[in-house]
Amino acid sequence: MEVVIVPDATAGGELIAEAIAALLSRKPDALIGVATGSTPLPIYQALTAKVRSGAVDASRARICQLDEYAGLPAGHPESYRSVVLREVIEPLGLSEKSFMGPDGAAEDVQAACDAYDKALAEAGGVDLQLLGIGTDGHIGFNEPCSSLASRTRIKTLTEQTRIDNARFFDDDIEQVPHHVITQGIGTILESRHPVLLATGAGKADAVARTVEGPVASVVPASALQLHPHATVVVDEAAASKLKLADYFRATYAAKPRWQGL
């Protein structure tokens, strides 16, 4: 696992956008997994700026979802599909044909989960998977004690998560779905390059446990330690509890530029 400490969220977004740009230069039709929420927005903004300036050609890029609410009707403005279309697909000038995700409105949810895992494999696998991290160490909707070998599946949202997400549903918790579809940890680990971005002091404990703690299902993100090419990008606040912060800074400063992120 490589840990990169950056000054702030903007710098983190720019660094990861540069990595995506380099990937697209090598593989124009790369499959890029995206996450929702506020943390990855600086990545999408930086990448969009590169595309609009002509520095990056993303016209053949493919985009796939990390997770989705279960039970929301197709086209619901707060479905993660709709969010990704607004925040990633449209700004990058892509069409919906370049986008794939699980069917959150399916009557047979498990069949939809199995179909999504199969679709990712048939697409050649995810080249770069963007991830955020929860304060409890979750990635996607893989909450603590999720199986480290789990596949795409349905998960039940905790009451606190539904309360937190109510702000996207007119502050009405009754509108927030009880269930979600999420790529499992095993599915995430099949991506060629998982990249986790964490910003803010509120993520410091989770980052320290993910990077320097033992691999354990109680901290799902710690499974990234098992991946041969996982990158964790953190700002100074999120890195504040890392015991090896100085080591991480030194190793990244000495890294050959040709290696990239």
Side-chain angles (χ1 to χ4, degrees):
M1 177 186 291
E2 180 178 34
V3 180
V4 182
I5 301 174
V6 294
D8 51 35
T10 300
E14 180 65 30
L15 180 67
I16 296 171
E18 288 177 0
I20 295 173
L23 169 63
L24 291 173
S25 70
R26 300 191 305 270
K27 186 177 182 180
D29 64 344
L31 181 57
I32 301 167
V34 297
T36 55
S38 58
T39 298
L41 289 179
I43 303 171
Y44 307 145
Q45 291 163 357
L47 185 60
T48 296
K50 292 179 184 299
V51 169
R52 291 179 176 174
S53 72
V56 176
D57 179 6
S59 61
R60 293 172 57 192
R62 297 173 295 156
I63 305 295
C64 64
Q65 271 178 273
L66 178 62
D67 41 35
E68 178 61 279
Y69 284 117
L72 287 184
H76 190 287
E78 293 308 324
S79 72
Y80 288 149
R81 181 182 185 89
S82 294
V83 172
V84 171
L85 290 174
R86 288 196 303 268
E87 297 180 349
V88 183
I89 300 297
E90 292 174 4
L92 292 179
L94 302 176
S95 71
E96 288 194 45
K97 292 181 179 179
S98 66
F99 175 64
M100 58 191 298
D103 183 2
E107 290 188 12
D108 188 338
V109 179
Q110 187 55 56
C113 294
D114 295 341
Y116 189 48
D117 253 14
K118 181 179 180 182
L120 291 175
E122 291 178 345
V126 179
D127 292 293
L128 187 150
Q129 177 64 59
L130 298 174
L131 301 165
I133 187 171
T135 56
D136 59 1
H138 75 255
I139 48 176
F141 276 108
N142 296 287
E143 299 288 354
C145 293
S146 291
S147 166
L148 301 187
S150 55
R151 310 299 305 175
T152 299
R153 67 209 191 285
I154 187 169
K155 294 288 287 183
T156 301
L157 293 179
T158 64
E159 188 70 4
Q160 186 58 56
T161 297
R162 294 183 68 237
I163 291 171
D164 292 343
N165 288 1
R167 69 187 188 277
F168 300 114
F169 293 85
D170 299 321
D171 290 321
D172 181 4
I173 191 173
E174 295 305 318
Q175 295 186 44
V176 182
H178 285 271
H179 299 97
V180 290
I181 293 172
T182 184
Q183 284 189 34
I185 297 172
T187 307
I188 291 169
L189 291 179
E190 289 180 352
S191 64
R192 295 179 182 85
H193 187 189
V195 179
L196 186 152
L197 176 63
T199 57
K203 302 296 179 67
D205 280 325
V207 167
R209 295 171 69 198
T210 292
V211 172
E212 298 177 342
V215 175
S217 63
V218 73
V219 184
S222 67
L224 294 176
Q225 294 181 34
L226 302 173
H227 197 284
H229 185 202
T231 304
V232 176
V233 179
V234 293
D235 67 1
E236 290 290 350
S240 61
K241 296 192 177 180
L242 289 173
K243 296 178 180 177
L244 298 176
D246 288 342
Y247 167 74
F248 297 136
R249 291 189 182 94
T251 54
Y252 185 69
K255 183 178 181 178
R257 290 181 62 84
W258 56 264
Q259 284 189 326
L261 188 63

